[in-house]
Amino acid sequence: IRKKAIEKIENSSTLDELEEIRISILGKKGELTQILRGMKDLSKEERPIVGKMANEIRETIENKLTEVKEEIKEKIKRERLVSERIDISMPAKEKRVGHRHPLLKMIEELEGIFMNMGFSVVEGPEVETVHNNFDALNSPENHPSRDPSDTFYITDNILLRTHTSPVQIRAMKKLKPPLKIVSAGRTFRFDDVDDTHSPMFHQLEGLVVDKNVTMANLKDTIDKFVKEIFGDDIKTRFRPHYFPFTEPSAEVDVSCLECRGKGCEVCNGTGWSMEILGCGMVHPKVLKNCGIDPEVYSGFAFGLGVDRIAMVKYGIDNIRLLFENDMRFLEQF
Ligand code: PHE
C-alpha cells in the first residue's frame, strides 16, 4: 500500500487528484482504513505489530500528501504570477481631453479681471424686449439700428439683443444702487460675414452706479483693465463718440500691441490699434427710466467687443475662425 500510494501521490499534478488518493486510502472506505477495521479479527500478539505498521504507513502517506500538496500550490501560484504579469513598459492608450473654447476662456479672463476690481458678474437673456434693448436705453424712435435690416426681430416687441446694454436696464431695476456689475454674452446684428464681422458676436457690458461717480472713475477703470489684459506699457485713447444711453460718450482705442505704440506696418505707423470698446456716463434719462434719481446718483457704463479683444490678443485675423469649430484651430488654445 505504501509504495503504491507514494508513487501515485508523486505522479499527481492537481489538488483534486491528491484528494481522490487520500480518500481511496485514508477515507472511510479507504484501503488502510479497511485494514485497521479488520484488526479485531487478529490475535492479541499480531494486533500491536499490525497496528504500529498501519499507523506508520498512515503517517508517511499523510506527510507525503501534505508535501506534494504544498508543491502543487506553489506551482499554481507561480503560474498565476506569470500569466497575470503586467508589462509596465507598454505605452498607454492616448487620452484626448477636451478644453474650453478660446472665446469662453477670454470671457472668463475678462470677468476675472473685473471681479478683482470689485465687480459682480450677472447674466441677461439673448432674447430681449424692444423696450430693454432700445426704448429704456433712450434710443430714438427712428434710430437706424432699430431697422429690421439691422436687427433680428422675433415679434414686434421681441428681438435678439443687438448689444449687452439691456442688461444695464435689468440690473438697475433689480439691484438698485450702489451697483457694480459686468455681464458677458452673445449679441446679434444683421451684418454680412467678413474677416471682422459676424451676425453673432460677443460683448461684455460693465455698469457702475453710485453717488459721485465721475468720468475720472470711468477712465481709471478702463486704463486699469487695459493694462491688466494687454500689459503695463499699453496706452488708451478716448475719442468722443455718440451713444443714446450715455452722455458724454467715448470710444476707446488701445496702442498697437505689435510695436507697443511706436508705429509699425501693422498700425500704419500710427501707434494705435483697433477700437475695443464704447463707453460713457449713464444718461440721466436712462437712470430715470429705471427709477433711479439722477440728482442723487450717477454712473458710467462700457461695452467691450469680446471677439475683437480675443483677436487682438491671440493674433487671429479672421473672426470666422472663432465660430467654425475647426479642431486644427481650437487645439492651438
Ligand atoms: N452698446 C454699445 C455698442 O454696442 C457699447 C456701449 C456700452 C457704449 C455701454 C456705451 C456704454 O456699441
Side-chain angles (χ1 to χ4, degrees):
I1 293 179
R2 174 161 37 189
K3 235 181 106 196
K4 229 171 61 192
I6 301 279
E7 208 171 284
K8 269 197 197 161
I9 294 170
E10 279 179 343
N11 283 332
S12 57
S13 54
T14 68
L15 293 176
D16 286 347
E17 268 180 66
L18 278 185
E19 181 62 8
E20 250 173 58
I21 297 168
R22 191 188 65 78
I23 292 169
S24 72
I25 300 167
L26 305 175
K28 265 190 201 152
K29 290 177 184 158
E31 279 180 72
L32 200 62
T33 318
Q34 301 289 353
I35 288 174
L36 285 169
R37 279 215 187 110
M39 292 246 293
K40 61 180 185 307
D41 303 329
L42 296 179
S43 66
K44 253 189 190 161
E45 296 78 42
E46 284 174 315
R47 241 180 255 171
I49 299 167
V50 175
K52 203 178 157 216
M53 251 169 75
N55 276 331
E56 268 175 23
I57 291 173
R58 192 183 56 204
E59 215 172 288
T60 334
I61 293 177
E62 270 173 355
N63 286 344
K64 194 71 195 172
L65 274 169
T66 351
E67 188 191 316
V68 175
K69 205 166 161 182
E70 285 310 310
E71 275 172 21
I72 293 179
K73 275 191 185 163
E74 197 47 45
K75 210 175 104 201
I76 292 173
K77 202 164 122 193
R78 272 199 307 271
E79 279 168 3
R80 252 184 54 198
L81 282 177
V82 171
S83 71
E84 290 177 4
R85 190 163 59 194
I86 294 168
D87 180 359
I88 54 163
S89 69
M90 200 161 77
K93 258 194 211 157
E94 193 193 349
K95 249 198 197 139
R96 285 166 58 94
V97 185
H99 62 77
R100 298 198 305 304
H101 189 280
L103 263 181
L104 179 59
K105 276 194 191 169
M106 188 78 248
I107 288 175
E108 285 175 354
E109 186 181 345
L110 295 172
E111 286 176 344
I113 292 173
F114 285 110
M115 285 198 294
N116 285 342
M117 292 166 78
F119 285 79
S120 318
V121 174
V122 302
E123 274 182 57
E126 293 168 3
V127 176
E128 258 297 0
T129 59
V130 171
H131 178 82
N132 285 344
N133 194 86
F134 290 126
D135 303 338
L137 285 165
N138 197 35
S139 156
E141 207 54 61
N142 57 355
H143 196 273
S145 67
R146 287 185 182 244
D147 199 282
S149 63
D150 282 324
T151 298
F152 295 103
Y153 284 89
I154 293 172
T155 68
D156 281 350
N157 304 316
I158 309 284
L159 44 66
L160 297 183
R161 65 178 177 188
T162 60
H163 50 183
T164 42
S165 298
V167 184
Q168 288 186 38
I169 303 299
R170 289 174 178 273
M172 283 190 274
K173 282 189 171 165
K174 194 174 158 198
L175 300 173
K176 300 293 166 198
L179 62 93
K180 197 170 177 184
I181 56 105
V182 289
S183 184
R186 290 197 241 204
T187 48
F188 306 84
R189 283 180 204 175
F190 215 120
D191 278 330
D192 286 330
V193 179
D194 64 26
D195 286 357
T196 55
H197 291 87
S198 158
M200 189 277 289
F201 56 103
H202 298 77
Q203 288 191 336
L204 182 138
E205 195 80 10
L207 172 70
V208 174
V209 182
D210 202 349
K211 287 172 184 158
N212 305 316
V213 174
T214 67
M215 192 86 183
N217 300 132
L218 167 60
K219 279 200 75 171
D220 180 57
T221 301
I222 299 301
D223 280 347
K224 280 199 179 117
F225 156 73
V226 164
K227 288 186 185 339
E228 200 64 50
I229 188 116
F230 294 124
D232 275 340
D233 57 336
I234 294 298
K235 290 194 193 68
T236 53
R237 174 168 77 177
F238 286 67
R239 276 183 291 103
H241 197 77
Y242 170 77
F243 296 106
F245 35 92
T246 47
E247 180 58 36
S249 306
E251 276 188 338
V252 174
D253 303 327
V254 290
S255 49
C256 177
L257 296 180
E258 189 63 34
C259 57
R260 316 307 272 188
K262 289 187 195 71
C264 67
E265 282 161 40
V266 178
C267 55
N268 292 321
T270 62
W272 293 98
S273 163
M274 58 155 92
E275 166 229 326
I276 57 155
L277 67 91
C279 62
M281 300 306 293
V282 181
H283 199 291
K285 276 194 188 163
V286 175
L287 291 172
K288 243 188 242 163
N289 288 343
C290 300
I292 294 169
D293 185 354
E295 299 291 332
V296 182
Y297 290 102
S298 57
F300 67 77
F302 56 88
L304 318 177
V306 175
D307 319 79
R308 283 198 171 184
I309 293 177
M311 287 171 77
V312 182
K313 185 153 167 124
Y314 297 128
I316 301 163
D317 53 12
N318 186 338
I319 195 170
R320 279 170 277 214
L321 287 166
L322 288 172
F323 306 126
E324 279 172 350
N325 287 334
D326 185 328
M327 289 306 284
R328 289 168 300 182
F329 170 75
L330 296 180
E331 274 169 355
Q332 295 175 44
F333 294 91

